[in-house]
């Protein structure tokens, strides 16, 4: 399987912003939908945001609605996650993945990357 490559994570403070990037291969670029999920230690993987490549239809998890924005750059073959007003509860490893259709269930995505760590201090 082909895995996307995430980058942009880091250590920030409450209220800060980060933008995560996900480099997509030619194969993953051809999928219909992309998304972000996250997983904190001891917790289940949680859906964060998803987007369709052609129409730009988006969906967000309740915990990030209004704070995070998912977007794509077709020319750069890249998926982004803009994260604003970060809270300690957002601390997790963030993954980007691809799917045949837009879904809010991480289990329905075909491929996930290796992840990038986001840590938000109080």
């Amino acid at each position: 399987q082909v895995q996307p490559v995430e980058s942009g994570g880091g250590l920030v403070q409450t209220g800060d912003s980060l933008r995560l990037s996900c480099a997509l291969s030619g194969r993953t670029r051809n999928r219909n939908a992309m998304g972000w999920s996250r997983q904190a230690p001891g917790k289940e993987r949680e859906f964060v945001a998803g987007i369709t490549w052609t129409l730009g239809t988006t969906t967000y998890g309740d915990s990030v609605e209004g704070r995070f924005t998912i977007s794509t750059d077709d020319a750069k073959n890249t998926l982004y996650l803009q994260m604003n007003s970060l809270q300690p509860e957002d601390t997790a490893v963030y993954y980007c993945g691809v799917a045949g259709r837009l879904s809010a269930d991480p289990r329905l995505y075909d491929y996930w990357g290796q992840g990038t760590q986001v840590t938000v201090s109080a």
Side-chain angles (χ1 to χ4, degrees):
Q1 63 181 7
V2 179
Q3 291 184 312
V5 179
E6 304 93 336
S7 63
L11 174 63
V12 298
Q13 295 183 327
T14 297
D16 285 352
S17 297
L18 276 177
R19 188 177 74 161
L20 305 183
S21 299
C22 176
L24 304 174
S25 69
R27 180 180 175 184
T28 57
R29 169 63 179 81
N30 290 331
R31 301 299 293 169
N32 294 326
M34 291 72 63
W36 292 91
S37 66
R38 66 187 184 185
Q39 188 165 25
K43 296 184 179 180
E44 300 291 332
R45 181 169 291 203
E46 177 187 18
F47 174 77
V48 175
I51 186 170
T52 60
W53 192 263
T54 55
L55 298 179
T57 304
T58 60
T59 186
Y60 294 91
D62 291 340
S63 63
V64 306
E65 183 75 45
R67 298 188 298 119
F68 291 8
T69 303
I70 187 171
S71 63
T72 62
D73 187 322
D74 183 67
K76 294 182 172 61
N77 206 35
T78 301
L79 177 71
Y80 299 102
L81 182 68
Q82 178 67 45
M83 305 184 295
N84 298 326
S85 301
L86 284 164
Q87 304 297 316
E89 308 91 90
D90 297 316
T91 295
V93 176
Y94 285 71
Y95 305 86
C96 70
V98 299
R101 62 179 294 176
L102 188 62
S103 174
D105 186 348
R107 298 173 298 177
L108 299 182
Y109 285 73
D110 298 322
Y111 307 113
W112 292 106
Q114 83 285 355
T116 185
Q117 177 72 47
V118 173
T119 302
V120 185
S121 63

